[in-house]
Amino acid sequence: MARPASARVVWLTALAMVLLVAQGVATTVRAAPDSFADLAEKVSPAVVNITTSTMVEAAANPGPELPEGLPFDDFFRQFRDQQGGPQQPRRSSALGSGFVISEDGFVVTNNHVIEGADEIMIEFTDGKNLAAEVIGTDPKTDIALLKVEATEPLTHVPFGDSDTARVGDWVLAVGNPLGQGFSVSAGIVSARNRELSGSYDDYIQTDAAINRGNSGGPLFNMAGEVVGVNTAILSPNGGSIGIGFSMASNVVQNVVHQLQEFGETRRGWLGVRIQDVTADVAEAMGLEAAKGALVTDVPEGPAMDAGIQAGDLITSFDGVDVDDTRGLVRQVGNTEVGKAVRVVILRDGQTQTIKVTLGRRETAEGTPIEEAVVEQTPSSAKVLGMTLSELSATNREEMNLPADLTGLLVVEIDETTQAFEKGLRAGDVITEAGQQPVDTIGALEASIQETRDAGRKSLLLLVRRNNDPRFVALGVDE
């Protein structure tokens, strides 16, 4: 039976609309820019070359001066160093990149670009050169803020929201690679939330070519906003192999704001030592999921004043869920000094909310903890594959342990046991078992039995090595 003409028209019209929508979606997903020229032209006036000059000790007759970042500079430096001779001061130059963030002349770059410099010169795309002064630096994020004085408003670029950058998004890196002058390279966001070596690291990984001299330059999104500051590369030969790292703009903005206001960073400080919750630690604590930040130590500070204790599990900070230690450290650091925040903890299976007034990390770092003498009666036994001894004045002195430390000293350990596999070694001190202090063999054995009676397979131990605490979960199967 033939289909009515009107029905065929409706069906063909609907099919055409579906195809058009599908084509539009495909275009949206797959479309790449025809050219980066407009974007490069728009942002380049705000990107600067940075040349630093420093007086250093060097051999007499050192040969020609070459700025760092040029080809073959390692060869020339090695040749020059081999000449020997008496040491005398000389002036050394280095190259980097940066970008202007305000019309009145604030410039962002990497701390390692200008660290130790006596003179800093900023070169713009039009060839103009201006001297710069250092407003402030933050070695922890490798960010520095400079200031130049110009006779007219400067072209500048805005920060973007790095949290909206997605893996696969196009990005443009602009800078001064290997001293070649203004250069652009395009790529995509390869990964997010990379951590290299710092507590506050939040790097965007990109395959846009980044080389020596690009340090401190901006990473742009397609809207011409800075989403990262090019900082480091991963390379076996010192050149770009498509693995570059840019500090996320949301981290940079917070640092820059503090440097502008105070000339230094002022990070929040909670005052706890913490570790991630592993699967076996979660099982030993009876947790449903391996989440949160486990408190291993509470020195004098805001957390102690508020009543937080070692063994508490921090699950929320200032209204934000805590997934791991890295997230908590970053969030605390980004919180205003002196702010009273609510910290949700899990203690003995019960949830509590504690209000803590944050201190300042920069002031607290390196503060010593007072010590007091505590005498112990020695005793020893073999437990869970470890030969343990109760602490005494004698073994404290032999092991160079703090006088106020209480617990059980690991004297010897069987290398075939789980304790050895989990990283325990002779010289470690077990201070807690089942989140309760232990300073006698009997207390530890009682905790092991309580764990078995409760039907749990693992016992959570707090272990200190060189006064560095961590939790370890050991099996208690007989």
Side-chain angles (χ1 to χ4, degrees), residues 179-252:
Q180 297 302 300
F182 294 96
S183 176
V184 302
S185 57
I188 62 170
V189 174
S190 303
R192 289 286 318 278
N193 304 120
R194 291 299 200 199
E195 181 180 6
L196 297 184
S197 60
S199 300
Y200 305 100
D201 286 2
D202 183 11
Y203 284 102
I204 295 174
Q205 181 185 329
T206 178
D207 65 350
I210 297 175
N211 288 283
R212 293 178 61 184
N214 273 113
S215 292
L219 187 73
F220 291 102
N221 61 19
M222 296 306 294
E225 300 168 330
V226 177
V227 292
V229 177
N230 302 323
T231 302
I233 61 173
L234 184 62
S235 171
N237 54 23
S240 174
I241 59 171
I243 306 178
F245 300 95
S246 302
M247 181 61 74
S249 61
N250 285 358
V251 174
V252 177

Side-chain angles (χ1 to χ4, degrees), residues 381-389 409-430 461 463 465 470 472 474:
K382 190 169 184 178
V383 183
L384 300 178
M386 301 174 288
T387 301
L388 304 176
S389 174
L409 176 66
V410 180
V411 178
E412 192 176 351
I413 188 167
D414 185 344
E415 295 187 7
T416 64
T417 62
Q418 185 187 64
F420 188 86
E421 293 178 358
K422 290 292 184 69
L424 274 77
R425 297 293 184 267
D428 290 347
V429 178
I430 299 172
L461 304 179
V463 181
R465 180 182 300 168
R470 69 186 180 100
V472 177
L474 291 186

Side-chain angles (χ1 to χ4, degrees), residues 104-119:
D104 58 345
F106 282 102
V107 176
V108 174
T109 186
N110 281 146
N111 176 61
H112 76 259
V113 170
I114 55 89
E115 188 173 18
D118 299 323
E119 297 179 358

Side-chain angles (χ1 to χ4, degrees), residues 273-275 277 281 285 292-296 311-313 460 471:
R273 292 183 180 178
I274 51 179
Q275 73 176 60
V277 179
V281 168
M285 295 181 66
L294 186 57
V295 178
T296 63
D312 289 345
L313 179 69
L460 195 64
F471 282 100

Side-chain angles (χ1 to χ4, degrees), residues 288-311:
E288 295 182 358
K291 293 180 61 178
L294 186 57
V295 178
T296 63
D297 191 23
V298 187
E300 291 186 8
M304 176 181 285
D305 294 342
I308 292 178
Q309 302 173 6

